[in-house]
Each structure stands twice: as C-alpha cells, then as structure tokens.
Amino acid sequence: SSSIIAQYDIPRVALRSEFQLPSLLNTVLSPLAAHIVLTLFMQVVAFTGMYVLLMRRIPGCGSPIVCIGVALCYALLPFWPPGVLGVAGLPLVLYAFLGLHQEERHWHLWAIILLFPFFSSLITVGFFFLCFATGIFLYDLLVRRQFNLAFFCGLALMSVAYLLVEYRLVSNALDPVFPSHRQEAFPSFVSYEKGLSRAWGNLLNGQYHVHSLQSKVIWPVI
C-alpha cells in the first residue's frame, strides 16, 4: 500500500485492486483487446443474468420470448466498462440471493455470490447491493419472524469477499497512506428547480459519462 508509482507520483493504494478483472486482463492483453473482452463479457453476463432472473425468480413474467427480448434489451445497454459487472451483473447476483431466499442450495448460487466482488466495485455498487439484501434479511427476521441461515451466510460470504478483494481500500481507510482529494472538495448545492431539471435530463438522456440511449431507443418504444 505504501509503494509509490513513480510515473504518476501516487501510492499504489490509489488504484484499484489487482484482484479485479480489469487489472488482471490488462496484464496479459493490450488495452484494446482487454476493452473488447470486457465488453463482450459484460453483455453475455447481463443477458444471462436477466434471462434466468425473469424465468426462474419472477412469477408470471410472460413467455420465454418476452424474457429473451427483455434480457436482450438489458444486455445491449452501453454499460460503463471500468464497472465491469457492477450494473451488468446485478440481475445475476439478485437471482443467486433470491435462490437462497427460496431455500435453494445449488452450488452455482454460492459461486455467483463469491465471484461477484471480483468483477465489481465495493464503493460504487457492492455496498448498496449489500444494504438492499440486508433489508430483505431484516424484513424476514423482524416482520416474518424467520431467520434464513443460507441468506445470512450469502451476505457474510459476499461481505468477506469484498473486504479481501478491496484490501487496499480497507487498509487505507484504517491507516491512511495519503489524504484523499475529497477532503478538499467543496459541496456544491443547487436549487430545487435546478435539481429537478438535472433529474429530468438524466431520465431522458442518461448520465453524462454513460449514456443509456433512452431518448433514441427506450422512450420511443414505450
């Protein structure tokens, strides 16, 4: 964590973990080849995850043709490549957790949960998905008075996997090697009207760095 990358004069901990897929691919492939492989990988996982989620976890979702169409539309979204499966893999990991919730014990469900942290980021997606899944667990525990051991073990497995993959981030949080640039960031506030305008713009056109093509494809179809 304390080693310095001389080319940029920053500590190694400032970059993403070497256990994540983009870091591994860029050690064996050229940047263009790594980008192509990542893009194809994300689209295949996005299609597969959405299809099995709809077919096996969502009752009354329609015919297989409809599920294929929805999964294809999801897979063709222009996902953010550095995020890898952060968004593209959410249907698949949700499929795995819902399987545990329904008391399925197939080994592939555990494999999906274990591998997801190696293909996503804790700070952009993992933390929020874990909060969502924890909400389901607490609802079962407090409202339905049911303790789902398998679901709890799934939460624990993903949490531990994230901590191991993001060990540099964890160590820097406990013992900072360098001050974060966010310490100097000044929060900018906008008016209520400006906030609504930005929200409407994102809804129509997507976020500025990863346009989802809503205005060209999704909205006309709707």
Side-chain angles (χ1 to χ4, degrees):
S1 297
S2 60
S3 59
I4 300 296
I5 300 176
Q7 183 179 359
Y8 302 104
D9 193 26
I10 58 175
R12 173 60 181 86
V13 71
L15 304 179
R16 64 193 311 165
S17 171
E18 64 271 29
F19 294 124
Q20 292 179 322
L21 181 62
S23 302
L24 295 174
L25 278 180
N26 280 283
T27 62
V28 296
L29 299 176
S30 67
L32 178 58
H35 176 77
I36 294 173
V37 170
L38 277 178
T39 301
L40 292 176
F41 176 71
M42 288 188 296
Q43 291 174 331
V44 169
V45 173
F47 176 85
T48 304
M50 182 61 76
Y51 179 75
V52 296
L53 175 67
L54 295 176
M55 288 293 295
R56 300 184 183 181
R57 301 288 182 254
I58 310 300
C61 66
S63 67
I65 299 299
V66 173
C67 294
I68 291 174
V70 173
L72 183 61
C73 290
Y74 185 73
L76 293 178
L77 290 174
F79 299 108
W80 184 48
V84 198
L85 298 186
V87 174
L90 284 178
L92 187 63
V93 74
L94 180 59
Y95 156 81
F97 269 100
L98 290 180
L100 297 181
H101 188 265
Q102 297 170 8
E103 299 186 353
E104 294 183 9
R105 299 296 182 266
H106 300 300
W107 67 268
H108 71 276
L109 302 180
W110 298 102
I112 292 170
I113 293 172
L114 175 62
L115 293 176
F116 185 71
F118 291 87
F119 300 91
S120 60
S121 170
L122 172 64
I123 59 175
T124 58
V125 170
F127 173 79
F128 303 99
F129 181 84
L130 285 171
C131 289
F132 167 75
T134 301
I136 297 177
F137 174 77
L138 291 178
Y139 176 82
D140 287 341
L141 183 65
L142 301 177
V143 178
R144 302 177 63 189
R145 303 295 180 181
Q146 296 178 357
F147 180 82
N148 193 322
L149 179 61
F151 197 88
F152 176 80
C153 290
L155 286 171
L157 178 63
M158 178 174 283
S159 300
V160 171
Y162 263 123
L163 292 177
L164 293 177
V165 172
E166 303 276 7
Y167 75 98
R168 295 183 183 276
L169 178 67
V170 175
S171 65
N172 190 68
L174 298 176
D175 183 20
V177 176
F178 73 108
S180 170
H181 68 282
R182 296 182 182 275
Q183 294 182 5
E184 300 296 329
F186 182 78
S188 59
F189 299 96
V190 297
S191 64
Y192 180 72
E193 292 76 14
K194 184 67 173 179
L196 285 179
S197 176
R198 289 184 179 180
W200 180 248
N202 286 339
L203 182 64
L204 290 180
N205 303 307
Q207 231 281 344
Y208 64 89
H209 70 280
V210 55
H211 294 286
S212 298
L213 307 179
Q214 295 100 311
S215 60
K216 293 183 172 65
V217 179
I218 298 176
W219 289 113
V221 170
I222 293 177

